[in-house]
Amino acid sequence: MAIINENYLKLQGNYLFAEIARRVNKYKEENPDANIIRLGIGDVTRPLVPAIIKAMHEAVDEMGKAETFRGYGPEQGYSFLISKIIDNDYKARGISLDEDEVFVSDGAKSDTGNIQEIFGLDNLIAVTDPVYPVYVDSNVMAGRTGVIDSSGRFGKITYLPCTAENSFVPELPKNRVDMIYLCFPNNPTGMTLSKEQLKKWVDYARENKSIILYDSAYEAFIKEDNVPHSIYEIEGAKEVAIEFRSFSKTAGFTGTRCAYTVVPKEVVAYTKNGEEHQLNKLWNRRQTTKFNGVPYVIQRAAEAVYTEEGQKQIKETIDYYMTNASIIREGLKSIGLQVFGGVNAPYIWLKTPKGLSSWEFFDKLLNEVNIVGTPGVGFGPSGEGYFRLTAFGSRENTEEAVERIKTRLEI
Ligand SMILES: *Cc1c(COP(=O)(O)O)cnc(C)c1O
């Protein structure tokens, strides 16, 4: 008899997006002529920029000739891409990395989900609340948590509430934790940490021999100074932090798939007997065993992100989204809604008016102005009473949506 991994039974169904789809479909059936605008999507909509397309075409041609054909590449990624990542994303900010500290992959979702494999099952994990669900669910699957309670919290996980009351800055946990997931700029709140605020976490990790798993998928959207792009801008972080980056939001690679993870050789964790081990070695072993690398064509496409034209073109796309973000932000503010984020991230997080629940506000927005967003409670219990709108739509739809909210939403 084959036995299943019963930890999977502890997971919640994919309730959030299924329930959104159910409510939208029901509304559409009852109102077939309604022009519904979706500002809930977490996917980009602008096409890949010309510099990237050109590099991809050239790489495809190389694959068609015996002299330039490539089979298996290095599991960790080609040096041509890793060297550009280091020079542009790190050296330019005063951070030095060796090539064998950067691991190219098919996504930050896989990497943030897989990283827990190199850690023991007795580690206590901490996540911000609300949170990107991958961090929690991958640990549930591994058996690092208890069951979920009626408040939506899994046993053995330390939830760090991020709400308007603490300006979305998580407080250090009162109990000791071993693995800390941080994502800044944050999805879903769109909020950031300053260097001083992030330093507190680095200091905590160094004092407690904990590891910070730092997701900076939205780094390219940062506009303000004093917002760290990399956790390694903080002194001492190289000893305690693993950083995840992705070309998905930065350069529109959500369907193209390329990301990378930085595991400095200084980062160590311990055996139960207190023996030190480099996480870099463990992650390398994990990746070389279970992953065979990102396609050559895709790595050439990612390399083109770092050319002069590539940089200029992706910045135009990011500016396009961030103009949307500011249209949403300013529009909502002008009618007295309390809004957060949208300055250094493509997400706008709003406090629902009149104490409405996240789902009540979802229905109100759908019914009164035909706009679909994402209920904050779907990202964790502390998201209740909040709502997420994204800047990834078209300019036309974004402007139309904000106009409807300003003129027709009753608040
Ligand atoms: C979109 C997103 C990513 C990127 O995931 P990919 O697998 O690289 O597409 C990572 N983390 C967060 C929080 C995200 O929202």
Side-chain angles (χ1 to χ4, degrees), residues 116-356:
Q116 47 77 28
E117 284 185 21
I118 65 172
F119 292 92
L121 289 181
D122 294 334
N123 286 317
L124 294 175
I125 79 159
V127 295
T128 59
D129 171 21
V131 71
Y132 182 57
V134 178
Y135 318 146
V136 172
D137 288 358
S138 56
N139 279 288
V140 173
M141 290 169 172
R144 216 169 271 111
T145 74
V147 294
I148 197 164
D149 67 15
S150 57
S151 75
R153 294 174 179 89
F154 284 96
K156 285 172 69 182
I157 294 185
T158 299
Y159 290 84
L160 309 163
C162 294
T163 60
E165 284 68 43
N166 60 13
S167 305
F168 303 92
V169 176
E171 278 153 41
L172 295 175
K174 296 190 177 58
N175 56 308
R176 192 188 50 79
V177 294
D178 308 299
M179 295 159 61
I180 303 152
Y181 289 84
L182 295 178
C183 171
F184 290 99
N186 188 261
N187 175 12
T189 68
M191 297 294 274
T192 55
L193 293 187
S194 67
K195 286 187 184 164
E196 294 71 30
Q197 287 161 342
L198 185 55
K199 182 164 188 304
K200 287 191 184 153
W201 285 94
V202 171
D203 292 346
Y204 174 93
R206 293 176 76 184
E207 277 156 29
N208 292 281
K209 296 187 154 74
S210 320
I211 297 291
I212 298 174
L213 302 159
Y214 195 73
D215 185 341
S216 61
Y218 296 95
E219 159 288 317
F221 294 81
I222 295 172
K223 287 266 156 60
E224 294 182 318
D225 297 335
N226 201 37
V227 176
H229 287 248
S230 165
I231 193 168
Y232 306 121
E233 289 174 49
I234 312 301
E235 197 196 324
K238 264 190 168 183
E239 294 160 33
V240 292
I242 291 175
E243 179 162 287
F244 304 92
R245 293 260 185 117
S246 173
F247 295 98
S248 283
K249 317 298 164 32
T250 306
F253 274 52
T254 52
T256 305
R257 314 302 308 142
C258 196
Y260 62 86
T261 290
V262 179
V263 190
K265 281 175 255 180
E266 291 97 315
V267 195
V268 293
Y270 304 85
T271 62
K272 284 197 176 134
N273 302 330
E275 206 178 87
E276 233 177 66
H277 285 269
Q278 289 185 342
L279 292 181
N280 179 285
K281 283 205 178 126
L282 269 64
W283 184 243
N284 189 52
R285 190 70 174 85
R286 192 267 170 214
Q287 287 300 80
T288 52
T289 301
K290 297 195 181 182
F291 184 61
N292 244 341
V294 174
Y296 174 70
V297 174
I298 303 304
Q299 292 192 60
R300 283 294 184 201
E303 183 191 23
V305 166
Y306 297 108
T307 59
E308 214 180 301
E309 319 85 81
Q311 284 291 298
K312 191 171 149 277
Q313 292 165 1
I314 65 159
K315 287 206 170 87
E316 281 166 14
T317 305
I318 290 170
D319 286 346
Y320 178 95
Y321 293 135
M322 291 312 286
T323 301
N324 285 350
S326 118
I327 291 169
I328 299 171
R329 202 183 137 82
E330 297 313 315
L332 300 188
K333 264 173 135 176
S334 76
I335 56 164
L337 285 168
Q338 231 189 322
V339 295
F340 307 95
V343 176
N344 297 298
Y347 297 115
I348 288 89
W349 189 245
L350 65 99
K351 183 94 197 77
T352 58
K354 294 187 189 144
L356 293 178

